[in-house]
Amino acid sequence: MNNLQDEIDVILVSVVIPVYNSSHLLKNLFVSLINQTYKNFEVLVCDDGSTDNIESVVDSFRSKLKIKFFKIKNFGGPAAARNVGIEYSIGDLIAFVDADDWWDKNKLELSVKVFDENTDLLYHSLRIVKKNKGNF
């Protein structure tokens, strides 16, 4: 590696998304992932027994994102879905995001830059949006 940026770019991030009947929310999240300045990541969508069209929304973004889709028996909460994502992730780092959230375009880049061998957990402030008018 020639410089620090080259070393950072080889870190694979596994983005784990637990979902349940939230197909109407995924587009904004997926667009925010497509727009990330850091591109070395996989997306693991872990469906906790949804009855809506989650899988078709996921399929519509497969050409733009490296997505793995898992459908599990309904557990009644996001914990089991997150655990499936962790189990099947291949990344060096794991980032959790919920279907009703989206990230600023440099979220992954900034997170990867500050993460080092002495870091176990990274958290940061968030911005609360009360009402989404239109698309992301």
Side-chain angles (χ1 to χ4, degrees), residues 111-124:
S111 297
V112 169
K113 281 183 179 179
V114 299
F115 213 94
D116 63 29
E117 66 276 351
N118 296 316
T119 306
D120 292 324
L121 176 70
L122 177 68
Y123 70 94
H124 46 77

Side-chain angles (χ1 to χ4, degrees), residues 11-66:
I11 295 171
L12 177 65
V13 179
S14 294
V15 178
V16 175
I17 309 168
V19 296
Y20 177 75
N21 287 342
S22 50
S23 62
H24 63 290
L25 300 169
L26 279 177
K27 181 180 178 188
N28 285 344
L29 172 56
F30 285 162
V31 169
S32 79
L33 293 176
I34 291 166
N35 291 331
Q36 288 298 299
T37 55
Y38 190 83
K39 301 294 185 187
N40 194 19
F41 64 92
E42 64 171 349
V43 178
L44 297 95
V45 178
C46 305
D47 181 7
D48 190 23
S50 295
T51 57
D52 65 358
N53 65 334
I54 292 271
E55 194 165 2
S56 65
V57 173
V58 168
D59 288 344
S60 71
F61 282 88
R62 285 189 188 275
S63 65
K64 296 179 179 140
L65 293 167
K66 294 179 261 182

Side-chain angles (χ1 to χ4, degrees), residues 59-121:
D59 288 344
S60 71
F61 282 88
R62 285 189 188 275
S63 65
K64 296 179 179 140
L65 293 167
K66 294 179 261 182
I67 300 178
K68 297 176 185 175
F69 180 77
F70 304 93
K71 187 157 185 105
I72 61 175
K73 183 178 177 185
N74 183 270
F75 174 73
R82 284 190 186 105
N83 287 338
V84 168
I86 292 167
E87 180 180 347
Y88 289 99
S89 67
I90 60 170
D92 304 296
L93 302 175
I94 296 173
F96 297 109
V97 63
D98 293 330
D100 62 341
D101 296 332
W102 60 87
W103 288 341
D104 288 339
K105 67 181 181 178
N106 61 348
K107 186 265 191 277
L108 284 178
E109 178 183 2
L110 294 174
S111 297
V112 169
K113 281 183 179 179
V114 299
F115 213 94
D116 63 29
E117 66 276 351
N118 296 316
T119 306
D120 292 324
L121 176 70

